[in-house]
Each structure stands twice: as C-alpha cells, then as structure tokens.
Amino acid sequence: QLQLQESGPGLVKPSETLSLTCTVSGGSISSSSYYWGWIRQSPGKGLEWIGSIYHSGSTYYNPSLKSRVAISVDTAKNQFSLKLSSVTAADTAMYYCARTEYYFDVSGYTFDYWGLGTLVTVSS
Amino acid sequence: DIQMTQSPSTLSASVGDRVTITCRASQSISSWLAWYQQKPGKAPKLLIYKASTLESGVPSRFSGSGSGTEFTLTISSLQPDDFATYYCQQYYSSPPTFGQGTKLEIK
C-alpha cells in the first residue's frame, strides 16, 4: 500500500524559508505514471495546489506562489521536497504531499494518495 | 484561475437520506471534475474523477454527474461514515482549484 509522510519544522519565522520533505513508501517515486505534488489547506484559503514534480525533475507551480516555491525530487531516497521562501503568516497551513495523476489531454491533476499532513505555523 | 463554488456550505441530514451537493465552475470544464471527502484531522480522499467515475474501493452509494459548469455529488443512502466535508476540484486548466467545501452534518 502506497504511503506518503511529510516531515519538517512545524514553526517557521516570518521572512524565512519553509522546508518540507515527503517520503514515499510502498511504491517508487520513479513510476512513469505519476507526478508528485504539494497541497496546502488553511481556514482562510481552503485547499490550494502549490505545485507538482515528475521524477525527471520537471516542475509545475501555482502561478500565485511560483516566485517563492521550489520543489525537488530525490529518486534515490524516494523523496520529494518543498521550499517556500519569504513566508508570512498567510503561509500558515496544513501542508500535504500527494501522488498526482496527470491528465495529458488537459494538463490537469488529481490527487489520489495523500500524506497525513503537517501543520506549519509562521510566527516569530 | 477557474473558480469553483459549492452549495450548500453546510447540509444537515439523517442516516438513510439521499443527499446532493452541487459544484459550479466559473467557466466550462467539460467533465474534468473530481470529488474528495475529508474527515476531521485527516487528508482528503479521492472519491470520484472525470465527474462520474468512482475511484477504486469507493462505495456505490456515491455517484457524480454533470458536465460543463454544473456538477453534483449524490449519496443515495447516507451511512454514519459519510458525515464529513466534501470538496470538488477542477482539473481542466492549471492551476487546479478546489471548491470551498460542503460540510455534511448529522441532523
């Protein structure tokens, strides 16, 4: 059974960089069929797609966050990571990693396996 | 970005009821719509994709319909495990966007 697990600091100071890692078990991140993504959820903005990555390293970001986001993949460790720079209180949210089904017809994504999520609070 | 609007925001129902949740897109998304279920403290779970295709393992009491800009999620006979929050998500264009959620409560 595929499992995803987020890890990283739960508290980040304003203006600093949020860094999270997602470890995938029960399957290979190098599977040709899937992308891997980050989604966040906050009371104010609901569910928001941050971005997705293919095992080759190709990345796709939400334009609203693109200037501050970097997603990378480490196939040897079966992990992918998120960095979000210059964070503010508005970035306080539950962050989820998820396996992403990519639909080539429309360049669209659904999310079929999710991690448990990790709460990140931005505060000094 | 395509805006997704769900109604109602909250729905009170009883076990055994048939319930319907509506999701409207700000522009046509054909059938590129998914539905998720989220329980408190848990991650969302994919229920339906392509507007009406059930994800493997999802009970047949769940069904989805619609195309274009209007979609529905129907639960034919509510079970205690179904009380949760439901979200729609379009994947017709990037970025994928979600509705604000419909909380299904026990009456």
Side-chain angles (χ1 to χ4, degrees):
Chain A
Q1 173 77 348
L2 189 74
Q3 292 186 320
L4 295 88
Q5 177 70 60
E6 304 88 352
S7 58
L11 181 64
V12 182
K13 290 182 168 55
S15 80
E16 295 190 345
T17 296
L18 177 161
S19 296
L20 297 174
T21 295
C22 182
T23 301
V24 178
S25 58
S28 173
I29 205 168
S30 298
S31 167
S32 60
S33 304
Y34 299 102
Y35 286 58
W36 304 89
W38 289 96
I39 300 109
R40 67 182 183 180
Q41 184 173 30
S42 61
K45 297 190 90 174
L47 287 161
E48 181 180 31
W49 173 72
I50 299 170
S52 294
I53 190 165
Y54 194 55
H55 64 80
S56 64
S58 298
T59 51
Y60 306 87
Y61 299 136
N62 191 322
S64 68
L65 297 168
K66 188 174 183 177
S67 63
R68 299 193 291 129
V69 171
I71 298 175
S72 59
V73 64
D74 186 335
T75 55
K77 293 183 178 179
N78 228 31
Q79 294 177 334
F80 61 106
S81 298
L82 167 70
K83 290 188 186 300
L84 181 65
S85 63
S86 305
V87 297
T88 69
D91 296 309
T92 293
M94 183 72 79
Y95 284 76
Y96 295 99
C97 59
R99 191 176 79 170
T100 302
E101 180 104 40
Y102 181 62
Y103 294 82
F104 287 90
D105 292 5
V106 289
S107 301
Y109 309 96
T110 58
F111 310 98
D112 61 352
Y113 281 90
W114 297 61
L116 296 176
T118 187
L119 178 62
V120 178
T121 302
V122 178
S123 176
S124 55
Chain B
D1 299 0
I2 297 176
Q3 306 303 313
M4 306 301 293
T5 304
Q6 290 181 232
S7 59
S9 296
T10 306
L11 179 57
S12 296
S14 302
V15 172
D17 284 354
R18 178 185 180 91
V19 299
T20 297
I21 297 169
T22 298
C23 176
R24 290 185 173 86
S26 59
Q27 67 183 76
S28 177
I29 58 170
S30 185
S31 296
W32 301 103
L33 185 97
W35 289 98
Y36 297 83
Q37 176 194 66
Q38 186 177 32
K39 296 181 180 178
K42 302 287 190 181
K45 173 188 174 184
L46 179 64
L47 297 177
I48 288 171
Y49 59 95
K50 205 73 187 299
S52 62
T53 303
L54 253 59
E55 178 75 347
S56 176
V58 173
S60 59
R61 63 180 180 273
F62 290 91
S63 63
S65 65
S67 67
T69 62
E70 188 154 334
F71 303 85
T72 58
L73 171 69
T74 299
I75 309 172
S76 61
S77 179
L78 271 174
Q79 299 302 300
D81 192 49
D82 300 338
F83 292 95
T85 301
Y86 293 85
Y87 295 92
C88 60
Q89 177 230 324
Q90 68 80 20
Y91 52 109
Y92 175 76
S93 72
S94 189
T97 48
F98 295 83
Q100 83 281 12
T102 294
K103 185 176 183 180
L104 182 51
E105 297 181 330
I106 300 174
K107 185 184 284 186

